[in-house]
Amino acid sequence: MQEIAVYIRSRCKFGDQVVSYATLSQLKHWWPQARLRVVAQHAVSHYYCSLPWVDEFVQAETLVEAVRAMPPRADLAVSLHHTSERYALVNLLRRPKLRLGFRNLRLLDCCWTHAHDKDINEYIALANLLLLNTYRPVAPEEASRRCFEQIAAQAVPQPAPADIVMIPGGGDGEFKRWGVANFLALADSLKSRLGGDARFSFVLGPAEAAEVGALQALRRPDFELIVGRSIPELASLMLNARLVVANDCGPSHIGQGVCVPYVGVFNEANPEWFWARPYSAAVYPENGVVDIQRVSPARVADACLRVLSSVRPY
């Protein structure tokens, strides 16, 4: 049996995990009979063990554990780390047949059999797929869409697809939260410009109790609150949405990965976490200001109309 080891980035946030999903999916698409092992420094197994492509998860906190996590005579190792020399050293010590990693002006960049240059202006999920593209051609949007279709198929029961999805969370803090008042103003603007039948699904998590309460108090029939749902349920919800609008947060990467019209609201330009495409737009404060509250609902509404007028691939 073929053995594949994927060393994911040493980060523990939700979004850091989601951007690796399409890469895992693509590897299993190429080698459906291979045993795919995910290796992580942090205790993030709950993000991976339910995925249809992952056969084993190993937590490796030390260099010795990371070396031991590489199967003997592995056929392929993929390192999604951008800066650490540790994983290049693991590859040199274990010598898998194929070694894929990022070049980032490091001493051990020479260890890779296939490498992609790290670019901080490239969306991380896209960069991961382009790393695979150095070995065999990959269609990034097709791979990403297929990945989330497979995840969505795990949702039981299947939620009804949403019309317009809004994601007002921001796990890293208030500096990433555009605020419910702004999302409400945006919803009213879109309803007036798109027609009265527009419906809005607000995706909220455990940290958004205040937002849940504020939205429930409105009792609006065109609002649906999606609270504390699983990753498969969120993927299913967004796959056929007309539009997704989100702060920079974990679920936003599901919204980008399903390849529907998307608008991201940021406190500043952050291209590593935004997938730039004709049917997507990033809105952030102008003139170098770093304050998400300086983004007006009118600017976001204009961006929404622009992406909706673009040709969507699915």
Side-chain angles (χ1 to χ4, degrees):
M1 176 182 290
Q2 291 176 309
E3 294 278 359
I4 299 173
V6 180
Y7 290 78
I8 62 170
R9 296 174 69 227
S10 298
R11 304 284 294 276
C12 56
K13 293 293 182 67
F14 178 24
D16 293 290
Q17 316 314 315
V18 175
V19 293
S20 70
Y21 285 0
T23 297
L24 301 175
S25 169
Q26 185 63 42
L27 288 168
K28 202 70 167 182
H29 182 69
W30 281 341
W31 293 287
Q33 303 306 316
R35 182 170 182 79
L36 195 155
R37 177 181 299 185
V38 170
V39 184
Q41 191 170 0
H42 298 288
V44 292
S45 61
H46 55 290
Y47 289 120
Y48 293 96
C49 289
S50 63
L51 294 177
W53 330 288
V54 175
D55 299 296
E56 184 180 359
F57 177 90
V58 178
Q59 185 177 352
E61 297 183 15
T62 68
L63 174 60
V64 171
E65 290 172 335
V67 172
R68 289 175 177 168
M70 177 83 72
R73 298 176 297 278
D75 297 275
L76 170 67
V78 180
S79 176
L80 302 183
H81 293 265
H82 303 150
T83 57
S84 174
E85 293 278 36
R86 170 187 293 193
Y87 301 96
L89 183 57
V90 168
N91 277 263
L92 287 175
L93 291 171
R94 297 296 269 177
R95 305 296 292 184
K97 295 174 185 175
L98 295 170
R99 303 179 295 277
L100 278 62
F102 287 94
R103 280 189 299 257
N104 198 17
L105 300 178
R106 293 175 297 177
L107 179 64
L108 297 182
D109 280 353
C110 60
C111 86
W112 311 117
T113 62
H114 299 77
H116 179 65
D117 290 330
K118 172 58 183 169
D119 181 353
I120 62 171
N121 294 310
E122 193 168 63
Y123 180 51
I124 289 178
L126 174 61
N128 291 341
L129 288 168
L130 293 178
L131 173 59
L132 297 188
N133 191 69
T134 63
Y135 171 69
R136 184 185 294 182
V138 176
E141 287 166 290
E142 178 183 321
S144 183
R145 176 79 177 189
R146 181 177 61 243
C147 158
F148 285 100
E149 286 175 340
Q150 292 173 328
I151 291 174
Q154 296 180 311
V156 179
Q158 285 283 320
D163 182 25
I164 297 172
V165 175
M166 294 192 164
I167 311 177
D172 282 346
E174 289 300 318
F175 72 99
K176 286 191 174 183
R177 294 175 183 262
W178 194 40
V180 165
N182 285 319
F183 276 97
L184 290 175
L186 174 63
D188 289 337
S189 176
L190 291 176
K191 201 168 186 70
S192 68
R193 299 166 79 171
L194 296 176
D197 61 342
R199 297 176 292 106
F200 303 88
S201 296
F202 287 82
V203 171
L204 301 149
E208 284 85 57
E211 288 87 344
V212 171
L215 291 166
Q216 285 177 332
L218 297 173
R219 300 182 182 276
R220 284 184 54 163
D222 57 339
F223 285 6
E224 179 184 15
L225 273 59
I226 311 296
V227 183
R229 299 294 182 87
S230 67
I231 295 173
E233 288 174 305
L234 294 180
S236 181
L237 181 82
M238 297 185 211
L239 270 168
N240 296 300
R242 180 163 39 156
L243 171 70
V244 176
V245 185
N247 290 341
D248 182 12
C249 60
S252 74
H253 301 292
I254 301 174
Q256 297 188 77
V258 297
C259 301
V260 300
Y262 177 87
V263 174
V265 186
F266 295 84
N267 65 311
E268 61 181 329
N270 197 358
E272 272 195 304
W273 295 103
F274 170 70
W275 194 348
R277 293 166 288 183
Y279 54 93
S280 68
V283 187
Y284 45 86
E286 298 175 300
N287 302 318
V289 174
V290 181
D291 180 1
I292 199 168
Q293 301 307 321
R294 298 288 293 273
V295 176
S296 71
R299 283 186 61 216
V300 179
D302 288 343
C304 291
L305 294 178
R306 286 198 305 274
V307 302
L308 286 169
S309 67
S310 301
V311 176
R312 57 187 290 179
Y314 299 97

